[in-house]
Structure formats: C-alpha cells, structure tokens
C-alpha cells in the first residue's frame, strides 16, 4: 500500500500507479464502512477545499461538499462569475492566492481544448493538491467510483470480465469525451477486457485510444473497437452506455447534432441488455436521458446499479480528499 499521497494532484489516473489507485480504493471501502456504522472520521478537521465549477453539477458538487463535511472540513463553491476569473484573472494568480488560504482545490472545466490545459496551469503554480472534477479529456473521480462499484458487484479479481462502453443516442446537448476516455484508460489496468462501441463519427481522441491500447497490452487484456451496439453487448459483464459528442470529428455543434440524429437507434433497451450475460450490470454516470438513450426497463431494471454507482462517488471522493489534502 502506497501511503505518501499527500499533496498529489489528481488530473488523470495515467499519472498514478496501480498501487496508488488501490490505496484509494481500500480507503474508499473503509470510509464507506465507517459511514455505515456512524463512526466519526474527521480526518480533515479545519481543512478548506475550494470547488471551482465552470459547468454545473449535481453528483460531483454534492459528493465533494458532503464529503468534506463528513471528513470534518469545509468546501467552498466557486464559479468564474463569483470570482475575478470571470474578469480575466489568470490561473496563476487565482491559485497562488487560494493556495495560501486553503488546503486543496477541485476544478470542473469541460470546454474542449481548454479545460485540461487550464487545470494543468493551476497545478503548475499550486501549492495545494489540484483535483480534476471533470475536464475535456478525463473524469477521474467518476471512473474511480465506477471501478469501486464493479468490485462490489464482481469481487476484487476482475480479470476476464467484458467491460463495454457504448455510445448512445441523446439529442439534448453535445456531451464531452471525458467519460468514455477515462473508462477505456482505467478499466484495462484492472484486468478487464474492454470493448468500445460507437458510430464511425463518434470516435475518441486518437492519442487517448493509443494509450488505452498500451494499457491493455501491458495488463495482458483485450481492447477492441466496434461500430455495432448489438455486437458489443453480446456476453458483456458490464454495459456502460452513455452519450458523447462527435467532438473529435467535427467542431460544429450543428453538424454534431445532425450526426446524433443519424444514429437514433443506438438506445440501451431490454433486448440489448438480454444479449449480455445473466449477471451483467448496467452502468451510467448520470444524468441519463430516460426513454431516449436508455429505456425505463433497463435503467430501473434488475441489472441497473446506477444509484450504487452514484453513492460511490461520495466514498471515493472522500478517499481522494483524505489521501491528498494536507
């Protein structure tokens, strides 16, 4: 177990060893047990954590804020409009000051080709740990909760499980690439065979896909890309079906919306769920477009673990905070 994680940034799990991630998982399970037993665990008493959101959030904001409260600390919600960031203050000036006030900072910034660069600029100057609460490339706090959930359902040895991340139809807005990209990077490292399914125009960033292939090769597992949702779902143990935009293919929201409509049959329904193994689980990071990208019979059915998955955001985020915040 690696325990010297104080002050370590969480921008992508690619910058963390598998053993370091295992430490966080062990801690998350322990903190979940202690919450269940009403055991106090005020590990961050008198600590302050800043939450800077460029985009709105439900699970991420509330998991961080609740987590800091349960750990004995305090979380402060910030947006560009409620700070001088909205008036042009630089990342350096912002984080230099906040580093002197508090003990950690999280940032959600999903703007394509901007978000991750901004978070890395903060980390460059920060004296306190910077946690990526989702950017244009990665969503590490969600993927860690997903991994915890899979271990709860299948046990610690995940080798041989077929993990499917599939694109789905959801017309409301162009969603970022960060969720599928984080999943294809992390899951092979823990022994799962990964299948990425999407229509041809909805490919992920080539450099991320190459990293995922390398992770799979190093772990001795399979990684494949298919353009048929039915084929992907066959014999799956985990089906993670959600939407993302054709961002790597086109920078046009109009063209992107037209492409989404072209594939309106990519819906997670009972027929596709039945192509998976009997013990398979359905996952989604939420919010999910009910009746559009997923049918009610699936999202509310016996295979769905979406609320367990959402709950585990709290426990894994608490583990990250307890391990990294000074």
């Amino acid at each position: 177990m690696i325990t010297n994680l104080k002050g370590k940034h969480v921008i992508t799990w690619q910058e963390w060893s598998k053993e370091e991630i295992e430490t966080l998982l062990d801690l998350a399970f322990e903190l979940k047990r202690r919450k269940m037993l009403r055991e106090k665990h005020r590990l961050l008493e008198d600590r302050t954590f800043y939450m800077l959101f460029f985009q709105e959030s439900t699970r991420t904001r509330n998991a961080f804020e609740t987590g800091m409260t349960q750990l004995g600390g305090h979380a402060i919600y910030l947006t560009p409009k409620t700070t001088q960031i909205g008036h042009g203050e630089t990342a350096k000036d912002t984080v230099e000051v906040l580093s002197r006030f508090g003990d950690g900072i999280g940032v959600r910034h999903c703007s394509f080709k901007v978000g991750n660069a901004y978070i890395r600029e903060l980390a460059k100057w920060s004296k306190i740990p910077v946690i990526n609460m989702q950017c244009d490339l990665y969503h590490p706090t969600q993927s860690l909760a997903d991994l915890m959930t899979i271990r709860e359902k299948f046990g610690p040895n995940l080798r041989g499980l077929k993990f499917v991340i599939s694109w789905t139809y959801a017309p409301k807005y162009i969603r970022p690439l960060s969720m599928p990209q984080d999943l294809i990077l992390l899951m092979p490292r823990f022994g799962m065979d990964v299948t990425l399914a999407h229509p041809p125009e909805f490919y992920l960033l080539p450099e991320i896909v190459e990293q995922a292939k390398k992770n799979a090769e190093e772990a001795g597992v399979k990684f494949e890309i298919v353009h048929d949702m039915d084929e992907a779902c066959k014999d799956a143990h985990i089906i993670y079906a959600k939407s993302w935009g054709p961002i790597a293919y086109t920078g046009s929201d109009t063209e992107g919306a037209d492409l989404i409509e072209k594939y309106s049959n990519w819906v997670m329904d009972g027929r596709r769920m039945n192509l998976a193994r009997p013990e398979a689980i359905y996952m989604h990071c939420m919010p999910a477009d009910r009746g559009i990208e997923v049918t009610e019979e699936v999202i509310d059915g016996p295979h769905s673990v979406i609320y367990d998955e959402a709950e585990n955001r709290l426990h894994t985020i608490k583990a990250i905070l307890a391990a990294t915040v000074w």
Side-chain angles (χ1 to χ4, degrees):
M1 177 181 287
I2 301 292
T3 57
N4 58 333
L5 300 175
K6 292 295 184 184
K8 188 174 176 68
H9 301 313
V10 181
I11 299 177
T12 168
W13 296 127
Q14 286 295 112
E15 296 167 355
W16 283 59
S17 71
K18 185 180 176 184
E19 189 176 359
E20 288 172 330
I21 299 170
E22 290 279 9
T23 297
L24 295 181
L25 288 170
D26 287 345
L27 182 54
F29 279 110
E30 171 63 15
L31 292 173
K32 186 172 185 177
R33 183 193 69 82
R34 292 174 71 173
K35 180 177 182 294
M36 176 187 69
L37 296 175
R38 300 294 189 269
E39 294 179 358
K40 286 189 176 181
H41 44 282
R42 299 175 68 82
L43 306 174
L44 294 178
E45 197 163 12
D46 299 326
R47 302 297 193 273
T48 300
F49 185 79
Y50 299 104
M51 307 179 299
L52 174 57
F53 284 91
F54 287 78
Q55 290 86 24
E56 296 297 329
S57 166
T58 298
R59 278 147 293 276
T60 300
R61 176 185 174 178
N62 286 287
F64 270 99
E65 195 159 342
T66 303
M68 277 301 290
T69 299
Q70 292 176 4
L71 291 168
H74 179 59
I76 296 177
Y77 177 72
L78 304 172
T79 69
K81 288 183 179 180
T82 60
T83 65
Q84 294 301 323
I85 296 168
H87 296 152
E89 184 168 75
T90 65
K92 179 181 187 296
D93 289 344
T94 297
V95 80
E96 285 276 10
V97 173
L98 293 181
S99 291
R100 298 191 180 202
F101 289 170
D103 308 285
I105 183 170
V107 184
R108 168 169 284 191
H109 197 335
C110 299
S111 299
F112 189 53
K113 295 184 179 180
V114 176
N116 187 262
Y118 182 86
I119 291 173
R120 290 194 179 279
E121 182 69 9
L122 282 178
K124 176 181 176 181
W125 301 105
S126 181
K127 309 300 188 299
I128 55 178
V130 175
I131 298 174
N132 180 357
M133 301 193 299
Q134 189 179 14
C135 68
D136 50 323
L137 301 182
Y138 312 108
H139 197 351
T141 63
Q142 178 67 56
S143 63
L144 188 66
D146 297 334
L147 181 57
M148 180 182 183
T149 306
I150 293 169
R151 282 199 165 176
E152 285 181 332
K153 305 307 177 184
F154 292 98
N157 183 9
L158 306 179
R159 188 160 292 275
L161 296 186
K162 180 180 178 181
F163 178 94
V164 174
I165 170 67
S166 175
W167 182 86
T168 53
Y169 168 74
K172 288 186 178 179
Y173 62 92
I174 305 296
R175 292 180 168 99
L177 304 175
S178 47
M179 196 66 255
Q181 292 191 160
D182 218 305
L183 292 171
I184 66 170
L185 288 170
L186 184 62
M187 298 310 173
R189 298 177 66 187
F190 288 83
M192 285 173 272
D193 297 319
V194 173
T195 297
L196 171 64
H198 59 77
E201 300 93 341
F202 289 80
Y203 56 83
L204 305 182
L205 294 177
E207 58 269 29
I208 299 291
V209 173
E210 287 306 309
Q211 287 176 354
K213 290 178 179 177
K214 184 177 180 181
N215 288 356
E217 183 180 353
E218 290 176 351
V221 299
K222 300 174 185 176
F223 176 81
E224 64 173 349
I225 299 174
V226 300
H227 302 303
D228 184 311
M229 195 172 180
D230 286 4
E231 179 185 346
C233 291
K234 289 177 182 176
D235 296 319
H237 294 86
I238 303 107
I239 298 178
Y240 203 124
K242 74 169 302 294
S243 179
W244 62 85
I247 298 169
Y249 177 81
T250 177
S252 166
D253 287 349
T254 302
E255 185 180 2
D258 290 342
L259 286 170
I260 290 172
E261 290 301 322
K262 181 180 175 182
Y263 299 103
S264 59
N265 63 327
W266 279 64
V267 176
M268 192 61 218
D269 55 17
R271 182 188 67 79
R272 286 189 167 116
M273 198 71 231
N274 288 333
L275 295 174
R277 297 177 66 90
E279 69 273 27
I281 60 174
Y282 162 78
M283 302 184 75
H284 195 292
C285 56
M286 302 177 73
D289 286 340
R290 286 171 168 267
I292 300 175
E293 64 174 319
V294 57
T295 61
E296 301 277 351
E297 66 177 326
V298 172
I299 197 169
D300 292 325
H303 299 283
S304 177
V305 298
I306 61 167
Y307 300 128
D308 295 335
E309 183 182 1
E311 179 193 342
N312 285 336
R313 294 296 307 282
L314 173 64
H315 307 304
T316 48
I317 282 170
K318 284 167 68 176
I320 291 169
L321 291 170
T324 62
V325 172
W326 287 98

